[in-house]
Amino acid sequence: MTESYPKPFIVNGAGIAGLTVALALAAQNQQVLVFEKAEGFEMLGAGLQLSPNAMHVLKALGLEKRIDQAASAPESIEIENAVLGHKLVSLPLGKSIKEKFGAPYNLIHRADLQDILFNACNNHPNIEVRFSSEVIEMAPHGRGVTVMLNEKGETNELQASGLIVADGVWSKLRTEVIGLDAPEYSGKIAWRALVPFERGKTENRTRVWFGPKSHVVSYPVRNGAFQNLVIITGGPESTGKETVSADANELKMLFKGWKGDFLPMLDRKTKWTGWPLYEVKTPNRMAYGTVALIGDAAHAMLPFAAQGAAMAIEDAAVLATQITVCETVEEAFRTYEKLRVPRVSRVAKTARANGRIYHMSGIRADVRDLGMWLMPTRFLSARQNWIYGWRT
Ligand SMILES: Cc1cc2nc3c(=O)[nH]c(=O)nc-3n(C[C@H](O)[C@H](O)[C@H](O)COP(=O)(O)OP(=O)(O)OC[C@H]3O[C@@H](n4cnc5c(N)ncnc54)[C@H](O)[C@@H]3O)c2cc1C
């Protein structure tokens, strides 16, 4: 069992992955420096579903109460046919999932989760978060890693015990410094909006509509003040941008004649943003000596299992545990990679397979719908056990 390392761990990126790993390492008595390129946090993204596997980690970090205050636990997930407007199945969440897995299934605004994590980091004596700064070069060696930092235009060299690359799907450290493959564009776009609602007028459930080459997900966030709406459609042949602008009227044209009752939400005035979806096709490298990759920088995946952030949170817990139980940072990161690659690969594969099922058309969609009607709900729910039942 290793004591505290003499030099700090450096985390590049203060997203869900970076802030969670900082907290998990600090909880093991390590010193952590987090560098974030942005000047501050923006209200980026929208809703997040936080499944029990992720909630267990956040609970162990002492964040359950604060998350419960900002989040809601949906009673059920309703799956419907977007074209015909028929309900296919209703799977219980809420109390039953908390009893089964010992942690809730929560809905939260991404910015609220990031805020909770950031405040916890700020209040921890072992963690320092610095904005307008980024790691631009690194050289792992036997005693740790030498890192070149760009902070507000100034370049500095730092020595660390290990570097954790947590700078998301567009990570330059991943592609340009380590030389790993760049995430590939999936040809799909996620159109996201927060539709304002009068409090109490939203339903406390997650709804998913399946349609040809598209699907729609909707659930309440911020105590029902907004309905988080995500519409997945095919996108242009190529993109290269993080986000693209969107127009609700153009989206409505795609669903002409469909009966799914998400459609009236497209008439409400709100801002839409398109997120081209990228994925790391083979997420098989998560460690290079004293450098580890976590979250989307390691294994960006399609959001069709709602598990990208959950995997980042799991990564953080496993990495911090290995730092404590292994003799060296190199050994800890190597073991972390060995433990995480099969899990994240299987979840990414499931997300891809979900997409194929959600987007079926014609006779295949009819067979899918019939199967869902006939299958007992406990069998459909049990398909998630291996994901939600995970523990560190
Ligand atoms: C439509 C959609 C719906 C989703 N729904 C869910 C869901 O319901 N549940 C779920 O678990 N997941 C979901 N996800 C996935 C989830 O959002 C991501 O997997 C998760 O946010 C990844 O976190 P991260 O910290 O790895 O990356 P990010 O959140 O991208 O954070 C990276 C951070 O690094 C910073 N950064 C970037 N470059 C640099 C640099 N050079 N130097 C320093 N800092 C840098 C960024 O500013 C940012 O703060 C969804 C994704 C999408 C697109």
Side-chain angles (χ1 to χ4, degrees):
M1 185 121 156
T2 308
E3 301 288 313
S4 310
Y5 280 92
K7 282 176 273 171
F9 283 85
I10 288 180
V11 176
N12 198 49
I16 311 288
L19 295 172
T20 312
V21 80
L23 288 169
L25 284 167
Q28 311 277 5
N29 278 326
Q30 306 300 336
Q31 297 291 325
V32 192
L33 276 172
V34 184
F35 297 119
E36 165 59 50
K37 188 170 140 184
E39 283 174 23
F41 292 131
E42 289 172 54
M43 277 278 289
L44 260 188
L48 273 185
Q49 304 182 64
L50 276 181
S51 48
N53 45 320
M55 280 308 302
H56 266 288
V57 174
L58 299 170
K59 200 170 149 182
L61 292 171
L63 302 172
E64 191 186 23
K65 208 165 151 203
R66 268 163 279 174
I67 290 175
D68 279 353
Q69 281 162 356
S72 57
E75 284 150 18
S76 59
I77 178 162
E78 316 282 328
I79 302 176
E80 300 165 51
N81 181 307
V83 181
L84 304 171
H86 291 162
K87 185 155 106 186
L88 300 174
V89 70
S90 169
L91 303 171
L93 292 173
K95 242 188 187 171
S96 72
I97 211 151
K98 192 171 176 180
E99 275 165 20
K100 185 168 170 187
F101 296 105
Y105 192 105
N106 275 332
L107 305 173
I108 194 165
H109 193 297
R110 184 188 173 280
D112 293 343
L113 176 62
Q114 196 171 24
D115 206 41
I116 290 168
L117 294 166
F118 176 61
N119 281 328
C121 285
N122 254 350
N123 289 328
H124 203 297
N126 292 5
I127 305 176
E128 190 188 337
V129 182
R130 291 199 214 155
F131 290 95
S132 305
S133 56
E134 60 177 318
V135 172
I136 47 174
E137 269 300 340
M138 52 163 217
H141 48 73
R143 286 154 287 108
V145 54
T146 304
V147 155
M148 197 60 86
L149 184 73
N150 179 344
E151 198 161 15
K152 295 180 181 149
E154 254 185 49
T155 311
N156 289 314
E157 194 182 282
L158 284 179
Q159 297 298 328
S161 292
L163 168 67
I164 296 149
V165 176
D167 46 8
V169 60
W170 297 93
S171 172
K172 286 208 172 90
L173 288 180
R174 173 188 174 85
T175 50
E176 291 173 17
V177 180
I178 302 175
L180 282 169
D181 54 322
E184 284 178 40
Y185 172 52
S186 64
K188 295 185 173 63
I189 300 225
W191 308 97
R192 298 169 107 177
L194 286 172
V195 183
F197 264 78
E198 220 177 291
R199 273 182 210 270
K201 292 275 165 74
T202 49
E203 298 163 300
N204 189 20
R205 54 189 182 148
T206 296
R207 296 180 72 187
V208 183
W209 291 263
F210 292 172
K213 294 187 183 156
S214 339
H215 75 274
V216 180
V217 181
S218 151
Y219 51 83
V221 288
R222 295 208 158 143
N223 294 320
F226 297 97
Q227 195 71 14
N228 177 63
L229 194 56
V230 184
I231 299 181
I232 309 287
T233 66
E237 251 174 47
S238 65
T239 138
K241 290 187 188 158
E242 241 167 282
T243 56
V244 290
S245 58
D247 177 346
N249 287 326
E250 279 174 32
L251 279 175
K252 261 170 72 176
M253 295 298 288
L254 297 174
F255 305 118
K256 229 176 171 179
W258 291 24
K259 297 208 171 69
D261 59 359
F262 61 91
L263 286 165
M265 277 196 275
L266 292 177
D267 291 326
R268 292 189 175 232
K269 212 169 148 41
T270 187
K271 183 176 181 288
W272 283 86
T273 309
W275 299 71
L277 297 177
Y278 283 75
E279 63 172 330
V280 172
K281 276 281 159 65
T282 321
N284 57 359
R285 289 313 307 264
M286 292 177 72
Y288 279 83
T290 47
V291 178
L293 295 102
I294 79 165
D296 278 8
H299 48 63
M301 58 181 69
L302 295 174
F304 308 157
Q307 283 296 315
M311 288 304 110
I313 291 167
E314 286 187 9
D315 289 346
V318 174
L319 187 145
T321 304
Q322 292 313 314
I323 284 294
T324 306
V325 299
C326 293
E327 290 296 321
T328 64
V329 173
E330 241 180 304
E331 185 197 337
F333 285 180
R334 208 170 36 241
T335 317
Y336 155 78
E337 178 183 84
K338 211 166 141 196
L339 292 170
R340 294 305 294 159
V341 164
R343 167 97 177 152
V344 296
S345 306
R346 188 174 172 202
V347 172
K349 205 169 147 198
T350 302
R352 236 173 276 137
N354 285 352
R356 285 193 291 274
I357 296 168
Y358 297 179
H359 297 173
M360 282 172 174
S361 55
I363 187 91
R364 285 162 157 256
D366 296 343
V367 173
R368 172 199 67 202
D369 290 0
L370 189 65
M372 291 188 88
W373 269 323
L374 295 176
M375 197 179 289
T377 53
R378 67 175 190 284
F379 287 154
L380 280 171
S381 290
R383 293 183 69 220
Q384 309 299 326
N385 287 355
W386 69 274
I387 298 184
Y388 301 167
W390 178 91
R391 297 289 174 276
T392 321

